[in-house]
Amino acid sequence: MQEDIHATKLAILKATERLVAANGFEATSLRAITAAAKVNLAAVNYHFSTKDALILAMLNRRLRPVNEARLALLDQFEEEAGENPVTVEKILEALFRPVLDVVSGRAKGGRDFLRLLALALAEPGAYLKPLVEKEFSEKTRRFHHALRRTLPGLSEVEAHWRLHFAHGVFFHAVVHSAVLECTSKGRCRITSAETVLRRIVGFCAAGLRNPA
Amino acid sequence: MQEDIHATKLAILKATERLVAANGFEATSLRAITAAAKVNLAAVNYHFSTKDALILAMLNRRLRPVNEARLALLDQFEEEAGENPVTVEKILEALFRPVLDVVSGRAKGGRDFLRLLALALAEPGAYLKPLVEKEFSEKTRRFHHALRRTLPGLSEVEAHWRLHFAHGVFFHAVVHSAVLECTSKGRCRITSAETVLRRIVGFCAAGLRNPA
DNA sequence: GCTTGATTCAAACGAACGTTTGAATTAGCC
DNA sequence: GGCTAATTCAAACGTTCGTTTGAATCAAGC
């Protein structure tokens, strides 16, 4: 369905991603986007109706494959585990590795994808809510179920809260890594996806398992 | 020094806080701010030079007392502990309770303060960096030192990382509580500052103590 | 090869923005 | 009460924005 996407549409999406990452939502004008994409100014309104819809489409283009990859990885781990529940560490890896792959991947636009998501989420008006509801519902359901199977002591609400906390660790660590680098005076920085993933998983696994 | 702040200046700051929280940075015009504050349009440029400086002043107005309260609370806990190191739970409480006080306080503008900070942090250009460096440096130093005294097994960098993770838990839980409420289908919501603080502290304490 | 629908294009629209200006007003001081 | 600096004010400046329009161009089916 995305294969036969129009070349103009794709060029606009790519340019939007790059420019918004560099300058922010409001600071990126349709004129800058269409100039970078080498398309006509009116093409945005023709293909996406409005600027807001373009932003949503841009985010969703990254978000959907990530969530699909998360589910696929969880599938794989569950299959490998056979009868046994998947370990907490594997659950966390299935949650975070696909995002790290995008963020640290070769694709230029992916690098700032998470920060843009954070920006959009923090924006008032909750205009991301329909997207969140649609794209996150199955992911939430599956990982929530997996976690409760692994840690049967967790109540339903407690599992929700702790998964939310784990997302917070990952989100904050990746999006605001510059803050850590600043406050630690350069002593802490993300060198590789693997090492930061190990740190995050270690911290979150302990928090998830906490019996209290 | 803030006592004798000019009435016009204060009115602008308050109006800015309220409007930016409701509509976002770029969507809030100086005209809307000055209209709400019942001051002249040019007063903003007169008292704050520029719109960006106004935003910074607005954030700093909340940030500074919060960080002072954090340090005061840590002082108190250290005094109560006497010779012993402060418990991990107390350290976390000193970090997060002052923020929760602002967020859940009576002051209307405080409610969205953390979200605005998240928004500003996620914005490109790192124009918050000088503010972070200035306002966070002592806080970081003191809490980092306290944590390493309590958990001597942590290396210096590891302590930095884990404190960063703990901030992520808190930040995400409070700022994006709407996402949790959405994905949990309303089963999880912040009912009181006390209960959410207990959950957060429990999760983070386990993560901080994790020996691995 | 004409028709029909989809797409691109240059141009303009109307509105809103942050900032500046220079005069008017106010407040503090001798 | 007159001098000075600080503050407020109405008005305008120049720019940029998202969107619309209507004609031009392209693609494909018959």
Side-chain angles (χ1 to χ4, degrees), chain B residues 109-181:
Chain B
R111 206 152 304 167
D112 298 279
F113 153 68
L114 210 58
R115 186 168 53 80
L116 294 184
L117 192 62
L119 231 167
L121 277 178
E123 202 94 346
Y127 85 116
L128 261 194
K129 200 183 175 193
L131 194 150
V132 168
E133 270 170 345
K134 186 168 181 308
E135 298 296 328
F136 283 76
S137 72
E138 196 191 351
K139 186 217 87 179
T140 301
R141 198 179 50 73
R142 284 284 313 276
F143 279 89
H144 183 258
H145 180 266
L147 182 66
R148 289 200 67 197
R149 200 161 87 93
T150 305
L151 299 174
L154 289 186
S155 74
E156 190 180 332
V157 286
E158 189 67 31
H160 273 300
W161 275 105
R162 295 196 183 187
L163 272 179
H164 189 59
F165 291 159
H167 277 96
V169 172
F170 178 80
F171 220 63
H172 195 257
V174 176
V175 173
H176 299 307
S177 62
V179 172
L180 173 61
E181 196 171 326

Side-chain angles (χ1 to χ4, degrees), chain B residues 62 66 96-115 170 174-175 190 193:
Chain B
R62 297 284 176 189
V66 164
F96 299 142
R97 185 181 289 283
V99 190
L100 273 182
D101 284 347
V102 172
V103 172
S104 63
R106 311 149 299 304
K108 275 243 178 60
R111 206 152 304 167
D112 298 279
F113 153 68
L114 210 58
R115 186 168 53 80
F170 178 80
V174 176
V175 173
I190 296 183

Side-chain angles (χ1 to χ4, degrees), chain B residues 82-97:
Chain B
E83 300 277 313
N84 307 318
V86 185
T87 65
V88 172
E89 281 79 4
K90 290 282 182 190
I91 294 178
L92 290 167
E93 183 179 341
L95 260 185
F96 299 142
R97 185 181 289 283

Side-chain angles (χ1 to χ4, degrees), chain A residues 68-78 93-95 97-98:
Chain A
E68 282 169 0
R70 287 167 147 179
L71 292 176
L73 206 50
L74 183 60
D75 281 339
Q76 180 192 322
F77 289 156
E78 281 181 338
E93 183 180 341
L95 260 185
R97 185 181 291 282

Side-chain angles (χ1 to χ4, degrees), chain B residues 6 8 31 40-42 46-47:
Chain B
H6 210 290
T8 303
R31 284 168 172 82
N40 188 272
L41 169 61
Y46 177 77
H47 287 284

